[in-house]
Amino acid sequence: MLLNKNSCTLLRYLLELEEPETIMEISRNTGQSRRKIYYHLDKINDALPQGVDKIVSRPRVGLLLTAGQRLACQSLLNQIDSYSYVLSMEERMQLIILFVCVLKERVTIEKLIELTEVSRNTVLNDLNTLRNQLAVEQYQVSLITTKSQGYVLKCHPLNKVQYVHALLTKIFLEGTTSFIRVLEDKIRAYIQDDLLLSKVLQGYLSQQVHFIEQDLGKKINRYELEFMLRILPYLLLSYRNMVLSEQAKSDLKREFSLIRKRVEYRTAQKLQELLNQKLGLKLDEIEVSWIAILLLSYRKDQDIHATSQDFADLRVAVDNFIWQFEAHSPYELENKENLARNLMIHCKALLFRKTYGILSKNPLTRHIIHKYPELYAYTEKNVSILEEAWLISLTRDEIAYLAMHLGGALKHQAPEQKKTKQVYIVCDEGIAVQRLLLKQCQSYFPADYIRAVFTSEQYKSVEDLLEADLVIVTSDGLNSKFPLLQVKPILDYEDALKLKRFANYDLLDAEHSDFRSELERLLSHYLSNKEEAQELQYQIENLVEKQILTDN
């Protein structure tokens, strides 16, 4: 069984399906071509044990795992190890560069071939690609070869640890579980006797979490704390991998002079003493400083020192930011004192991350931008007051974190009572169609909106006596002083959109682009195959219609 990253991604996707999906839908949702989906399905089917039915897509129905297939697929994922998992090119390069960063021994091309289990040419191509990528990275790191050390990173020591932290963030937050397991197994195979990678150290650090937080007077975000414990051994190994002169070490200590005044540094010193006493693990002053930097940089859920006097300037900038956000946005904020305190806790860690180049990824950024675009936009518009005060530049992830804090403090506003609209239906297709059309329209309007159903002749005879917000018609021969909205006697999804648009936003079809034409135009940019585009367009149209009916 040789399953790679994409095979495992498809496996996980199939396990999450609760309703059948066609190969086309799976292709769109996973970002893989239909040919690739069939290819990986064949690989998965070959790996399934005897007695389990092959996974196939039924015509016009799609694909959904049976209970037996579900158990077998989950078992496949659980069994994947370094001998059965095929690394993608990106995963190989991540493994290679981390290996170069942490291994103390000389890194040769032969070791890299053994590590990745691919040909010499493939490894050389990966190394060239890595060099090109590093050349455009912000960390000023380059991959070189020396006689004494083999492949090694050439850079400032601080830059190297910053780069390794960013690399580990990408691996552990974006990598698949199978790849991370393979990576950890392969690294441990070459660094067998090092206490830093032992489960004993991980267990002891986990036990000390409560005491660390108690000593700090702060509660570190649980998600970030778990991440810190997981990557700390690799960060320390990447430091120990460097050959530094006494002058270089002295310069590095000077870089850390700021953090020695913080309570986190004293806590890191206590932790070092415990590690030495209990496990015989000795850390030098620079390694202790790195632990302190991580404790300072990771987000806190609580901090009793948030209002200490040495952060008075920080509080001024935060208060100005809150005032400016409220003054230049349509939002009202409540519990501003509590909001300011939470922002202080967050921004203290933010500034230390900026000072020491510690990358922080926000897994909710995309959701914040898409679900609350206005909140994000107003936050982004007003962060300049913080950037100017602290001489920093904020990323989208960092702005999204601020938007989350502001969103939690928004004053709840009761929805305004909607004015009752007066809607009339004009239909000349007979009583049966009139009644059916009325029932359909009632699915999209409150019961008291629709006042009556007329024929054209009846409507014209009473038009002067009516006040109407909208007249729904089924033919194009009617003239009226009131807004007209033409629909089919049996409503389709476009008619549903028109009615919903008017009910919610008072928009008539003429004031909005045609949905079908707009959808067809957008899909043409991404799909050159007209048949595939039409199939996807049909599925989207059906989904929209179902969603509209569900919302009602």
Side-chain angles (χ1 to χ4, degrees), residues 424 426 454-468 471 478-484:
Y424 295 91
V426 179
F454 297 121
T455 63
S456 297
E457 185 178 350
Q458 290 170 336
Y459 174 74
K460 278 301 182 183
S461 68
V462 298
E463 183 180 12
D464 292 340
L465 305 176
L466 300 177
E467 286 294 332
V471 179
L478 185 71
N479 293 319
S480 175
K481 63 180 181 181
F482 301 117
L484 297 177

Side-chain angles (χ1 to χ4, degrees), residues 37 44 76 81 127 136 190 234 298 327 344 387 392 413 437:
I37 297 297
I44 292 169
L76 281 180
D81 55 27
L127 289 168
V136 297
Y190 282 88
Y234 297 100
Y298 288 158
M344 282 281 292
E387 293 178 325
I392 60 173
Q413 296 179 340
L437 181 58

